[in-house]
């Protein structure tokens, strides 16, 4: 999956990576999300740093019975310094933004099904 994502980015394609996906790197860090300590995969931030492309968080919310609003947050640009600390810091920032979005729109988040698996016990 990682090779395909990198190849697609090189070809100018948009790649969507859910933040809870590690891209095979395995979660080695933790972060607070919704008041719980969860594992923090570095996949999206690693790809962002490796390819020097921004992360754009998007979220949806129901506005009416059959209408959905899609919001694209401002791009999060990777650090020019490509090291593990930059990747970890970017991931923490992404999860902080996600936490705020979920708190503001709790019924629109689709990650509740994987949330229990992310919690560090």
């Amino acid at each position: 999956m990682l090779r395909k994502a990198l190849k697609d980015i090189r070809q100018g394609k948009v790649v969507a990576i859910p933040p809870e996906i590690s891209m095979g790197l395995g979660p080695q860090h933790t972060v607070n999300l919704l008041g719980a300590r969860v594992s923090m995969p570095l996949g999206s931030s690693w790809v962002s740093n490796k390819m020097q492309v921004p992360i754009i968080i998007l979220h949806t919310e129901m506005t009416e019975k059959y209408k959905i609003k899609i919001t694209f947050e401002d791009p999060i640009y990777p650090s020019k310094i490509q090291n593990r600390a930059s990747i970890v810091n970017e991931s923490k920032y992404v999860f902080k933004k996600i936490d705020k979005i979920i708190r503001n729109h709790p019924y629109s988040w689709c990650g509740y099904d994987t949330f229990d698996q992310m919690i560090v016990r």
Side-chain angles (χ1 to χ4, degrees):
M1 182 163 76
L2 177 59
R3 286 187 187 134
K4 172 85 169 112
L6 297 178
K7 179 181 172 188
D8 286 350
I9 291 169
R10 283 187 192 101
Q11 293 174 352
K13 297 178 183 176
V14 174
V15 175
I17 303 172
E20 66 272 11
I21 300 297
S22 70
M23 298 295 289
L25 303 173
Q28 301 169 346
H29 299 274
T30 60
V31 67
N32 284 321
L33 182 65
L34 302 177
R37 201 81 185 145
V38 300
S39 60
M40 181 183 70
L42 304 177
S44 58
S45 294
W46 185 87
V47 170
S48 171
N49 274 261
K50 168 101 174 131
M51 302 304 291
Q52 287 296 290
V53 295
I55 291 176
I56 301 173
I57 299 171
L58 72 90
H59 54 96
T60 61
E61 63 181 292
M62 295 290 288
T63 57
E64 295 177 33
K65 189 172 183 177
Y66 297 107
K67 293 189 178 187
I68 297 173
K69 176 184 173 188
I70 301 173
T71 302
F72 292 83
E73 296 293 325
D74 292 335
I76 300 167
Y77 293 96
S79 171
K80 297 293 181 198
I81 301 169
Q82 295 182 342
N83 61 27
R84 189 157 189 85
S86 295
I87 293 168
V88 170
N89 287 336
E90 182 177 295
S91 288
K92 286 180 181 179
Y93 183 72
V94 166
F95 273 84
K96 183 178 178 181
K97 301 252 319 167
I98 290 170
D99 184 82
K100 183 177 179 182
I101 292 166
I102 296 167
R103 289 177 188 277
N104 290 333
H105 308 283
Y107 298 107
S108 65
W109 189 45
C110 298
Y112 291 110
D113 56 340
T114 59
F115 186 67
D116 284 345
Q117 297 168 5
M118 294 173 67
I119 294 177
V120 175
R121 304 197 191 273

